[in-house]
Amino acid sequence: MNATERVFIRMSGLGGQGAVTAAHILGSAANKDGLESTVNPFFGAEKRLAPAESYVRISSEKVYEKGEVLYPNIIMIFHPHVITMGKCYTMPFFDGLQEGGSILINADEPLVNDEDLRHLADLKAKIYYVPATGIATKVAGSELSTNIAMLGGLYAMRKLTSMEALKESMIERFGGGKFVASGTTAALDDAVTGKFAKVSQMIEKNMELIAAAGAALTEFPLPGTKGGE
C-alpha cells in the first residue's frame, strides 16, 4: 500500500463461507504490517446460506469509521448467488463501488450481465474471477476453505499486506488466539481445523491454497477496454 492510501473492502457472501473469518484474518494481517484497520461483520439470521457481509478498512493512518462500508474500493463476492439471485444486503452487488475500484468474484465462469458490465465500465472498474470453491475443495479438501482461497485471489489482485503477515494472522486465528467469534463462526473454524491433526499442517495447506488461488486469478475485460468489445 502507498503511504497515504486508504482501502475500503466489502465482502459479500452466504453464511458458512467464512467471510467473517476472512475479514478478521485480513484486518489482523494489516495490523501486523504496521497498518491500521477496522473489521465489522454484518449478517441477519446466523444460518448457512443466508446473506452475510463483512467490511474491512485498511489505512496507514488511524481509522475512525466503523460499520458498513458504503463506498468500497474493493468488493469480494464469495458466492455466485450474490450476483445471480441477489442474495446480498447491497443491491446491485456493486452499489457504491468507487471509480477505478475492483471486484473479485468466486466463480468458474463470467456472471455479470451486459447492463451491469456497462455500468462498471463507466466506473472504470476491474473485474477478476477466481474459482475459489473449486480450488479450496481440490487443495484443502473442503469448500469450507473458500475464504482462504478468496484471500489468495485478493493477494494476487492487490497486495494489501505481506504474505508473512497473512500467515501469522492465520496462525493466531486458528491456533487459539484471542478472538471472540459468534457461535456459528466458531463452529465453522472448528470444522476447518478439525480436518488437520496439527494447526501447523492446516497453515501449510492454507499457504498452498493461497498460492493456487492467486495463480488461477483472471481479469475479465470490460466493454471499451483493451480486450473488451
Side-chain angles (χ1 to χ4, degrees):
M1 286 181 59
N2 297 328
T4 59
E5 189 176 10
R6 292 163 59 85
V7 176
F8 305 100
I9 304 168
R10 182 168 70 224
M11 300 180 179
S12 296
L14 304 183
Q17 288 194 292
V20 173
T21 297
H24 173 256
I25 291 172
L26 181 60
S28 177
N31 295 154
K32 293 181 184 302
D33 274 339
L35 300 169
E36 299 288 337
S37 73
T38 61
V39 176
N40 299 98
F42 179 80
F43 41 79
E46 266 200 279
K47 62 180 181 180
R48 188 166 174 78
L49 301 183
E53 288 189 349
S54 285
Y55 314 106
V56 184
R57 294 173 172 87
I58 299 175
S59 175
S60 57
E61 301 175 343
K62 187 69 176 179
V63 179
Y64 296 99
E65 305 97 321
K66 293 184 178 180
E68 183 180 1
V69 170
L70 297 175
Y71 303 106
N73 309 91
I74 297 173
I75 296 174
M76 299 172 67
I77 305 297
F78 280 60
H79 198 288
H81 286 177
V82 170
I83 296 175
T84 61
M85 299 181 66
K87 285 192 171 184
C88 63
Y89 294 110
T90 307
M91 291 294 292
F93 69 92
F94 59 86
D95 185 59
L97 181 68
Q98 294 187 33
E99 184 171 346
S102 300
I103 301 175
L104 175 63
I105 302 172
N106 170 24
D108 299 310
E109 59 185 9
L111 298 178
V112 184
N113 63 46
D114 291 342
E115 181 180 357
D116 287 344
L117 286 176
R118 287 192 291 271
H119 283 300
L120 290 168
D122 290 341
L123 287 172
K124 299 180 176 59
K126 293 185 177 181
I127 297 178
Y128 298 86
Y129 284 93
V130 61
T133 300
I135 293 174
T137 302
K138 180 179 180 181
V139 175
S142 172
E143 65 178 24
L144 293 177
S145 294
T146 293
N147 56 349
I148 304 300
M150 287 295 285
L151 288 177
L154 175 64
Y155 184 83
M157 185 183 84
R158 191 165 178 185
K159 294 175 175 57
L160 300 175
T161 71
S162 66
M163 184 63 76
E164 184 59 32
L166 274 177
K167 182 178 181 179
E168 290 178 6
S169 183
M170 288 189 291
I171 292 173
E172 181 178 80
R173 175 62 191 247
F174 298 116
K178 295 180 179 180
F179 176 75
V180 179
S182 67
T184 300
T185 300
L188 288 170
D189 283 358
D190 290 343
V192 174
T193 55
K195 294 181 177 295
F196 299 90
K198 298 179 179 180
V199 171
S200 60
Q201 294 175 342
M202 176 189 180
I203 299 304
E204 182 179 347
K205 187 61 67 173
N206 281 353
M207 298 305 292
E208 181 183 344
L209 178 54
I210 285 173
L217 183 75
T218 58
E219 182 176 355
F220 183 83
L222 289 171
T225 61
K226 187 177 179 179
E229 297 181 357

